[in-house]
Amino acid sequence: MEISVYKHWEIPSLQLYKKSEDAFEAKQELESLSTTFDGVFLTSSLDYPRDERNLETISNIAPTNEGFLLFAPPLKSPNKNHVVLCNYLKTSSDELRDYKQQGIRTTISLDDRDASSDEPFEVANRIATLMDESGGGDFIFVSSPDGDDDDTLRLCEELSYLDVPGPIMKSRLMLDCPAETTSEDLVDEVMSLGVNKFVVYKETQVQDCIQEVTLEQGKQMVK
């Protein structure tokens, strides 16, 4: 099994235009990241008109080589590697179905889940319903609430059990790995389940954690 690693990347809070110097520097940084990572999560909020314009610019200048995905909110003119981020509580099955019919890949994101009120099996059932009704959900982004490893592992297990059309669930799961709270034990156990996608915040996490666990389990990195 090959392990894919993605990186959270904050869009520069600048006035980006396709031919500006700032955009050129951003393009160089993305091209550099594409040699190490299998894609980036764009983690900038869309509070102002410039934020949406910057996001569109990033989509236009991002590498389009196979195997480098761009996870971002909906875009007006996405590149071929764009994967739409859809919050599981705010996105309807109709919206996911529309993306599917347009040939646009989607990620169902669990990043603001309240672990105190949402039991893992309840969340998994909700995800199963969304996917069954829409055909969407190419990826499932699993975030660890408050650094609770046990809760995160239980959720990954519940999601892995789901039987949905298309690729098996464990191949769609992506574990969010905050640098300050993600333990090597959690990565080890989740990878043992068959999950092969991890999202990091710092480049040092690749060698210090993901790569080390990958080698221990006799697996290999895509990059």
Side-chain angles (χ1 to χ4, degrees):
M1 182 173 71
E2 292 188 322
I3 305 301
S4 297
V5 185
Y6 307 84
K7 187 178 186 301
H8 285 279
W9 188 69
E10 186 172 355
I11 300 175
S13 56
L14 303 167
Q15 298 285 356
L16 293 183
Y17 297 91
K18 284 182 69 173
K19 296 183 179 180
S20 69
E21 183 176 341
D22 292 330
F24 178 73
E25 292 177 0
K27 182 177 182 178
Q28 286 188 312
E29 184 174 352
L30 284 168
E31 288 175 346
S32 176
L33 289 172
S34 72
T35 64
T36 305
F37 297 96
D38 300 288
V40 291
F41 272 66
L42 301 182
T43 55
S44 178
S45 59
L46 303 179
D47 297 325
Y48 304 101
R50 76 172 184 201
D51 297 328
E52 292 197 34
R53 183 176 62 250
N54 288 351
L55 185 57
E56 293 286 346
T57 299
I58 292 299
S59 176
N60 286 321
I61 66 176
T64 57
N65 51 297
E66 287 297 327
F68 187 75
L69 300 178
L70 190 71
F71 295 83
L75 299 172
K76 294 177 182 177
S77 54
N79 74 32
K80 66 177 183 178
N81 291 344
H82 177 219
V83 184
V84 179
L85 290 171
C86 303
N87 182 280
Y88 85 113
L89 292 174
K90 301 174 183 176
T91 306
S92 69
S93 56
D94 288 340
E95 290 175 282
L96 284 172
R97 188 182 304 109
D98 286 343
Y99 288 128
K100 177 75 172 179
Q101 291 172 348
Q102 295 175 57
I104 298 173
R105 288 172 289 187
T106 53
T107 295
I108 299 175
S109 175
L110 312 182
D111 58 334
D112 61 354
R113 183 173 66 90
D114 184 353
S116 65
S117 60
D118 288 338
E119 285 292 325
F121 76 90
E122 294 174 332
V123 176
N125 288 339
R126 192 175 301 152
I127 298 303
T129 299
L130 268 177
M131 296 177 71
D132 285 339
E133 293 179 349
S134 68
D138 300 272
F139 303 95
I140 311 296
F141 178 69
V142 181
S143 183
S144 176
D146 303 319
D148 188 337
D149 286 2
D150 290 339
D151 178 86
T152 301
L153 181 59
R154 285 176 55 214
L155 179 56
C156 287
E157 290 173 338
E158 292 290 348
L159 289 167
S160 296
Y161 299 149
L162 297 180
D163 184 14
V164 296
I168 59 174
M169 279 297 294
K170 63 181 64 177
S171 72
R172 307 186 195 205
L173 300 185
M174 313 179 78
L175 180 67
D176 189 35
C177 300
E180 294 76 17
T181 59
T182 302
S183 69
E184 188 174 312
D185 287 341
L186 176 62
V187 172
D188 182 51
E189 294 201 60
V190 170
M191 195 181 291
S192 295
L193 288 175
V195 175
N196 68 339
K197 297 176 179 64
F198 299 86
V199 188
V200 301
Y201 291 72
K202 297 180 180 179
E203 295 190 41
T204 53
Q205 289 180 268
V206 178
Q207 188 169 2
D208 294 345
C209 181
I210 309 297
Q211 192 173 59
E212 186 172 327
V213 174
T214 299
L215 293 174
E216 288 175 355
Q217 295 195 13
K219 298 167 183 174
Q220 61 184 9
M221 309 279 286
V222 172
K223 294 185 178 179

